[in-house]
């Protein structure tokens, strides 16, 4: 099978398995922890500390971006140290954008919550219902896996989501690309971009970038707004 056909086959099989039998809460929690720990092994610049993951250390962007920031030492840091047995988890059910963040941010800045919510929903639902040359494809499962994997990298877990879908739908080179674009965008290279979903259209891969950026923004907002809520109460 080609990369595209294999991906579509996995999507179909996941849907069939979900209809037959759902994973237990314990199984879903275990799968989340596995994905969360693996995401920490994809480190700065796409250099991977785990041998089965892709390595792009031979092609690092040399563009000097320090001119655009006031603090040259400012940058992304993983939410936990690699090697720790018990990594912190932000349970989305305890503080969600829909039930908590949206109303708080509207209180702090009138109507901004509506604008942000519209932006999140528009990008999350953005699809041509195509996968490369295939038309009339329901890409919901794939878009959900991309969005939830970004939140997983930030330690955010959805109790009702089976993270086994992430492992089956997102290949290793794509995970490296997601981590780099989301956490170290200045180090993204064309080789990374070309390494995944080779049969897909550029417009479809641009959709991926938009989804990654909105997922990151929502994750950051959830942490910030939860901290503000705790301070206010």
């Amino acid at each position: 099978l080609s990369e595209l056909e294999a991906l579509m086959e996995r999507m179909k099989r996941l849907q069939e398995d979900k209809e037959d039998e759902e994973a237990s809460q314990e199984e879903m929690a275990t799968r989340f922890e596995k994905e969360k720990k693996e995401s920490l092994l994809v480190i700065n610049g796409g250099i991977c500390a785990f041998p089965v993951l892709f390595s792009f250390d031979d092609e690092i962007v040399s563009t000097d971006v320090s001119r655009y920031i006031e603090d040259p030492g400012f940058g992304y840091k993983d939410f936990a140290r690699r090697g720790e047995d018990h990594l912190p988890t932000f349970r989305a059910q305890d503080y969600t954008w829909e039930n908590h963040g949206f109303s708080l941010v509207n209180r702090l800045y009138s109507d901004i919550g509506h604008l942000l919510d519209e932006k999140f929903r528009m990008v999350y639902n953005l699809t041509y219902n195509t996968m490369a040359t295939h038309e009339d494809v329901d890409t919901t499962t794939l878009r959900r896996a991309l969005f939830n994997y970004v939140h997983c990298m930030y330690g955010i877990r959805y109790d009702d989501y089976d993270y086994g879908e992430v492992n089956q739908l997102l290949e290793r080179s794509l995970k490296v690309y997601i981590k780099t674009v989301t956490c170290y965008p200045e180090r993204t290279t064309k080789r990374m971009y070309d390494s995944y979903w080779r049969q897909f259209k550029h417009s479809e891969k641009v959709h991926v970038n938009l989804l990654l950026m909105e997922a990151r923004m929502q994750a950051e907002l959830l942490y910030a707004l939860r901290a503000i809520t705790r301070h206010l109460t």
Side-chain angles (χ1 to χ4, degrees):
L1 293 177
S2 69
E3 179 186 39
L4 172 62
E5 291 171 333
L7 177 58
M8 294 189 67
E9 180 62 28
R10 289 196 296 272
M11 290 173 62
K12 179 181 178 182
R13 189 166 59 248
L14 278 173
Q15 187 60 40
E16 292 173 348
D17 292 344
K18 185 177 294 186
E19 293 173 356
D20 293 339
E21 182 180 358
E22 291 189 1
S24 67
Q25 282 294 318
E26 184 179 354
E27 288 174 322
M28 291 195 289
T30 300
R31 291 168 184 173
F32 167 78
E33 291 298 327
K34 179 182 178 181
E35 289 298 331
K36 182 172 65 172
K37 289 180 179 179
E38 182 184 283
S39 73
L40 295 175
L41 298 173
V42 184
I43 61 175
N44 193 346
I47 304 171
C48 306
F50 196 46
V52 300
L53 291 176
F54 268 44
S55 175
F56 295 104
D57 53 313
D58 58 338
E59 186 178 339
I60 300 298
V61 154
S62 59
T63 304
D64 182 12
V65 297
S66 61
R67 73 190 74 171
Y68 303 112
I69 57 178
E70 296 180 359
D71 180 6
F74 181 80
Y76 170 82
K77 290 185 179 180
D78 282 316
F79 66 92
R81 295 179 180 178
R82 290 182 298 277
E84 289 185 356
D85 293 331
H86 303 288
L87 303 180
T89 295
F90 183 135
R91 294 183 70 253
Q93 277 67 21
D94 295 336
Y95 197 94
T96 66
W97 166 254
E98 292 80 7
N99 298 331
H100 305 90
F102 173 81
S103 57
L104 176 59
V105 79
N106 258 348
R107 280 173 50 199
L108 300 174
Y109 191 165
S110 180
D111 291 332
I112 192 66
H114 294 286
L115 296 174
L116 287 171
D117 190 63
E118 182 181 359
K119 186 160 71 86
F120 291 147
R121 291 178 184 275
M122 181 185 70
V123 172
Y124 187 86
N125 295 318
L126 191 61
T127 180
Y128 295 140
N129 293 116
T130 64
M131 289 179 66
T133 57
H134 295 265
E135 299 181 350
D136 298 321
V137 180
D138 183 357
T139 61
T140 302
T141 304
L142 190 56
R143 284 181 281 121
R144 183 172 60 236
L146 288 164
F147 190 93
N148 286 354
Y149 183 63
V150 172
H151 279 205
C152 177
M153 292 193 310
Y154 281 80
I156 300 174
R157 181 194 168 203
Y158 294 88
D159 291 347
D160 59 350
Y161 180 69
D162 182 359
Y163 289 85
E165 293 187 7
V166 168
N167 194 46
Q168 293 194 51
L169 296 178
L170 308 186
E171 61 190 38
R172 294 187 178 104
S173 60
L174 177 53
K175 287 182 178 179
V176 172
Y177 180 77
I178 292 171
K179 179 70 177 280
T180 307
V181 167
T182 307
C183 305
Y184 313 102
E186 76 281 2
R187 296 178 179 271
T188 307
T189 66
K190 188 175 186 300
R191 181 185 171 193
M192 290 181 183
Y193 174 85
D194 291 337
S195 70
Y196 79 95
W197 291 359
R198 295 174 179 84
Q199 296 169 293
F200 280 65
K201 301 173 185 176
H202 288 299
S203 57
E204 293 171 318
K205 296 175 81 166
V206 168
H207 282 184
V208 172
N209 281 9
L210 293 174
L211 189 60
L212 300 183
M213 292 297 97
E214 294 306 318
R216 184 187 75 170
M217 173 177 278
Q218 189 177 111
E220 293 168 338
L221 280 172
L222 284 174
Y223 274 102
L225 294 171
R226 185 181 67 168
I228 294 172
T229 299
R230 288 176 175 176
H231 175 73
L232 294 176
T233 55

